[in-house]
């Protein structure tokens, strides 16, 4: 059963639309941040992290962040799953990679706070949001039902 994107968003409860909007903003801000880092430092922008897998992951966020944003905008359940996976790895990698700087200068914590709060938000909202999207995608559509009856429903 195919739904257009506008209908998918319209079938979501208001709280879910707000949560999805926050996801979109957060991942687009993340993309902008990582794109700016790469523009300034090139492929070695994250050389300050001694762990090569972290460096590769942070460079890869230039692809992963907009991918999550597109999947969320298209109201794909996989987008919510990917959002959680990206944020878990992102938050853990940042905390682990910055742990020695945090020990030496606790003021660096302020830089990790927005990322951590967004990560907690994504993780905390994941299950209710996944359920809301699944319910909206599988349930009857008020617009489709009204078209079948020959009436018009306006939102």
């Amino acid at each position: 059963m195919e739904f257009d994107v506008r209908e998918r968003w319209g079938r979501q409860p208001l709280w879910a639309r707000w949560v999805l909007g926050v996801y979109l903003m957060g991942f687009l801000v993340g993309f902008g941040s990582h794109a700016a880092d790469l523009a300034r430092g090139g492929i070695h922008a994250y050389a300050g992290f001694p762990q090569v897998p972290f460096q590769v992951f942070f460079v890869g966020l230039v692809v992963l962040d907009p991918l999550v944003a597109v999947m969320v905008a298209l109201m794909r359940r996989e987008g919510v799953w990917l959002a959680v996976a990206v944020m878990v790895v992102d938050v853990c990698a940042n905390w682990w990679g910055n742990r020695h700087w945090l020990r030496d200068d606790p003021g660096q914590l302020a830089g990790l706070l927005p990322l951590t709060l967004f990560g907690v938000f994504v993780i905390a909202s994941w299950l209710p949001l996944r359920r809301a999207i699944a319910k909206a995608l599988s349930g009857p559509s008020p617009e489709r039902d009204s078209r079948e009856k020959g009436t018009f429903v306006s939102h």
Side-chain angles (χ1 to χ4, degrees):
M1 190 179 292
E2 288 293 320
F3 300 103
D4 65 36
V5 174
R6 185 174 177 181
E7 184 178 347
R8 287 178 186 215
W9 276 85
R11 293 177 68 162
Q12 293 302 313
L14 184 60
W15 69 266
R17 286 185 244 170
W18 277 100
V19 169
L20 290 164
V22 171
Y23 274 39
L24 286 171
M25 288 188 308
F27 282 99
L28 291 175
V29 165
F31 165 71
S33 174
H34 291 285
D37 288 347
L38 287 175
R40 278 190 304 271
I43 195 74
H44 300 290
Y46 301 103
F49 289 90
Q51 303 88 356
V52 173
F54 289 171
Q55 295 174 26
V56 171
F57 174 73
F58 292 134
V59 169
L61 286 174
V62 172
V63 174
L64 287 173
D65 282 345
L67 177 62
V68 170
V70 167
M71 291 177 73
V72 166
L74 294 175
M75 198 67 60
R76 303 289 308 174
R77 285 178 279 197
E78 298 87 354
V80 177
W81 283 93
L82 184 58
V84 170
V86 166
M87 289 312 302
V88 166
V89 175
D90 197 358
V91 170
C92 291
N94 268 286
W95 276 91
W96 182 259
N98 288 303
R99 73 191 183 287
H100 61 282
W101 293 326
L102 291 172
R103 185 183 56 234
D104 297 341
D105 180 13
Q108 295 285 335
L109 179 63
L112 289 176
L113 193 56
L115 173 72
T116 303
L117 291 175
F118 180 64
V120 169
F121 175 79
V122 169
I123 293 165
S125 62
W126 163 72
L127 190 57
L129 187 58
R130 186 180 64 86
R131 288 178 179 157
I133 291 173
K135 182 178 177 183
L137 294 179
S138 65
S141 166
E143 292 172 347
R144 189 174 57 245
D145 292 346
S146 65
R147 279 182 281 193
E148 290 172 359
K149 294 177 185 174
T151 60
F152 178 75
V153 173
S154 175
H155 288 266

